Amino acid sequence: MWRNVFGILLAYLCYLFGLLSISAEAASPTAPAAARWLYAINQAAADRGSVSIYDIEAGHRLVKTIGTVPNVGDVRGVAVGAATGKLFVAYQDVSGVGMVYCLNVYDDTILWNRAVSPGVDRLAINPDGQLLYVPTWEGGSADYINVLDANTGDVVGKVHFSSRSHDTLYPLSGPIFQETKAEDGRGHYLYLIDPASYAVSRVGPYSGILGPYAVDGTSNYSVNNVTNLWGMQVANLQTAQIVTASIPDHPPGDAGLLHGIGWTPDETQIWQNSSAGDPQVYIWDMRNPMIPVLKDRLTLRSGRGSHWLTFDIKGDYGYIAPNKKSADGTEIFDARTHTSVGMIGSSEDMIEIDFVNGRISQVGDQYGIGRR
């Protein structure tokens, strides 16, 4: 009898232990063994600044949403250090103060949240994950970008070149790229910063002030949105030659600034957002980068315009973000067939993180950059 009682008690204890183990596993925020996850910083008012994670291989199923920091007024950019497992978000708080927060990808905790004077904009990170390059905001008067220690958020350097610094990009092949909204002529150039010496060179002038841009996988070509142009300009970064590609049969009125542009990872196409009121996305054939040919036009489900775009690492999907701070969803397109295949929550600051054996194996980019 006692043997039977002992057996029943042992079985019950094993059952309880199993429940506790399952509960602990469910609560664990640790990284998966293998996955391709899209980290999207939410921009709709209800959850602005939080991070929603989508499983790319499972039809962009929502995995979880991570609460981050309070009082996010405007999300300005995202970057990830693959070597360190840290994700960084630049934002303005509700009072307009420029901030950056750091999230540990492996346990979903906020490591630091710092004000960065005099402001922030779309930031970039160096390959070893130790330095952040943070613009001082497109509306600001400071003539430099800040260099931050990624471990602490401390400012450790400055790179001087122009006021109104905006989008910073550190692509796979380098160097650091920078544009500015300056109206004194400096905004007509794309700037290249040597990451070792911080020496600054530039390409241009372009026909207007530069907006969003992207480079190919070898940093030989840059595609650029430019003010007052229904189309784009393409620069050969080795020769400084610039060509203009114009959109035929574009919507009436002034172009303003088309916003959002990117290479498909195989570099055969450029996708380009239209104006804030035009629900089209223009697709250019780039087999000869200096002779772009308009190939296709997509129409967004929302019937409204878009503000940013990027791609997954493999080039399976294009992500078209709605107008800034909109509650409209971010639309997912099959990058090869150009068909709409789904929606995720409203985000223009998205980056893929891949895991193998529970560790980061590679990361994407908030920009649509070439990977050939």
Side-chain angles (χ1 to χ4, degrees):
M1 182 182 72
W2 289 111
R3 183 177 298 174
N4 290 338
V5 171
F6 179 77
I8 294 171
L9 180 60
L10 181 61
Y12 181 67
L13 289 173
C14 289
Y15 170 73
L16 286 179
F17 180 76
L19 286 180
L20 289 172
S21 297
I22 292 169
S23 178
E25 183 178 353
S28 172
T30 55
R36 296 176 61 216
W37 280 1
L38 181 69
Y39 281 65
I41 318 305
N42 293 304
Q43 69 170 358
D47 55 2
R48 188 170 297 153
S50 63
V51 182
S52 286
I53 300 174
Y54 301 91
D55 188 334
I56 296 172
E57 300 283 11
H60 294 87
R61 173 183 63 86
L62 177 63
V63 176
K64 58 183 173 180
T65 296
I66 305 166
T68 55
V69 298
N71 302 318
V72 176
D74 184 10
V75 181
R76 306 298 295 185
V78 62
V80 172
T84 62
K86 296 175 182 176
L87 178 146
F88 304 89
V89 174
Y91 70 98
Q92 291 178 338
D93 70 11
V94 292
S95 63
V97 174
M99 306 283 295
V100 176
Y101 74 69
C102 173
L103 173 77
N104 185 332
V105 170
Y106 292 117
D107 65 9
D108 299 347
T109 59
I110 298 296
L111 300 178
W112 53 262
N113 182 37
R114 298 281 302 272
V116 181
S117 179
V120 302
D121 227 308
R122 194 171 296 275
L123 76 175
I125 190 168
N126 71 339
D128 66 8
Q130 299 302 310
L131 294 174
L132 300 173
Y133 307 95
V134 184
T136 47
W137 185 48
E138 63 179 298
S141 60
D143 69 344
Y144 58 86
I145 65 171
N146 280 312
V147 183
L148 270 58
D149 182 328
N151 294 303
T152 64
D154 293 335
V155 176
V156 295
K158 293 179 172 62
V159 182
H160 293 262
F161 70 100
S162 174
S163 60
R164 302 189 66 178
S165 57
H166 192 25
D167 298 330
T168 307
L169 168 62
Y170 197 154
L172 302 175
S173 56
I176 304 165
F177 288 84
Q178 182 69 60
E179 57 96 350
T180 164
K181 291 294 193 295
E183 297 178 338
D184 58 3
R186 289 180 291 182
H188 290 239
Y189 292 86
L190 179 64
Y191 295 84
L192 288 69
I193 303 170
D194 184 307
S197 66
Y198 294 157
V200 179
S201 59
R202 65 184 189 178
V203 174
Y206 290 78
S207 65
I209 295 173
L210 297 189
Y213 63 97
V215 301
D216 68 340
T218 54
S219 296
N220 283 321
Y221 297 97
S222 173
V223 292
N224 303 266
N225 287 325
V226 184
T227 54
N228 304 315
L229 175 63
W230 282 108
M232 65 176 178
Q233 290 194 299
V234 185
N236 182 322
L237 299 175
Q238 308 307 311
T239 67
Q241 178 189 7
I242 297 174
V243 298
T244 300
S246 299
I247 297 170
D249 303 321
H250 57 72
D254 295 334
L257 176 62
L258 308 190
H259 208 285
I261 193 167
W263 298 84
T264 54
D266 65 6
E267 300 179 11
T268 61
Q269 298 175 2
I270 290 295
W271 291 28
Q272 181 184 27
N273 291 347
S274 188
S275 63
D278 178 21
Q280 294 186 92
V281 176
Y282 302 101
I283 298 180
W284 302 87
D285 186 317
M286 298 296 286
R287 284 174 290 185
N288 184 335
M290 299 305 283
I291 309 178
V293 177
L294 188 62
K295 180 178 183 178
D296 201 358
R297 304 176 192 226
L298 311 180
T299 301
L300 300 178
R301 297 182 190 180
S302 69
R304 289 177 283 276
S306 49
H307 194 260
W308 197 259
L309 63 83
T310 190
F311 299 90
D312 71 311
I313 294 171
K314 291 169 60 177
D316 293 334
Y317 302 105
Y319 305 102
I320 312 298
N323 288 321
K324 198 165 183 64
K325 298 185 180 181
S326 170
D328 290 338
T330 292
E331 192 163 356
I332 308 167
F333 285 86
D334 184 307
R336 296 180 177 87
T337 66
H338 302 167
T339 55
S340 178
V341 296
M343 304 281 283
I344 59 173
S346 181
S347 174
E348 70 166 32
D349 303 282
M350 298 162 285
I351 193 163
E352 179 181 340
I353 304 179
D354 294 352
F355 298 89
V356 174
N357 296 323
R359 306 299 296 179
I360 294 175
S361 59
Q362 62 179 342
V363 299
D365 203 284
Q366 62 187 325
Y367 293 81
I369 57 174
R371 295 181 178 273
R372 190 170 63 187

